[in-house]
Amino acid sequence: MLTTESEGHLKDIHHWMPVILNNETREMWLSSDMPFDYVKASIDGSNASVLLTQSYKVSTYVNSIKNDGEKCSMPLQ
């Protein structure tokens, strides 16, 4: 998983967030002959808006790797 420093309200949740690659950047990342610094410079963060649109609190049930499924992402009442 690629991560970067958090933006917007996600900073209140955690200091890092996933990097979301567009098709072009994904292909660069997966290319074995592409220098890392070039790929890194090409990640502009514009797709991060997907993560910045909505957030809500969930149960601590999500904190265990033993737990999986819808219950992990259900909003707290």
Side-chain angles (χ1 to χ4, degrees), residues 8-42:
H9 74 270
L10 292 178
K11 287 181 180 181
D12 296 334
I13 298 170
H14 203 278
H15 62 276
W16 61 262
M17 66 184 217
V19 172
I20 300 173
L21 303 176
N22 61 33
N23 289 338
E24 179 183 347
T25 311
R26 182 188 68 228
E27 292 304 317
M28 283 193 294
W29 180 256
L30 295 174
S31 173
S32 61
D33 58 346
M34 189 63 63
F36 173 74
D37 290 338
Y38 181 79
V39 176
K40 185 177 177 184
S42 300

Side-chain angles (χ1 to χ4, degrees), residues 33-76:
D33 58 346
M34 189 63 63
F36 173 74
D37 290 338
Y38 181 79
V39 176
K40 185 177 177 184
S42 300
I43 299 171
D44 64 6
S46 61
N47 289 324
S49 63
V50 171
L51 298 174
L52 301 175
T53 57
Q54 181 182 359
S55 65
Y56 52 87
K57 292 185 179 196
V58 296
S59 166
T60 55
Y61 179 82
V62 73
N63 294 349
S64 173
I65 61 171
K66 296 176 186 177
N67 299 330
D68 194 11
E70 288 184 30
K71 188 173 178 181
C72 290
S73 60
M74 293 180 69
L76 263 179

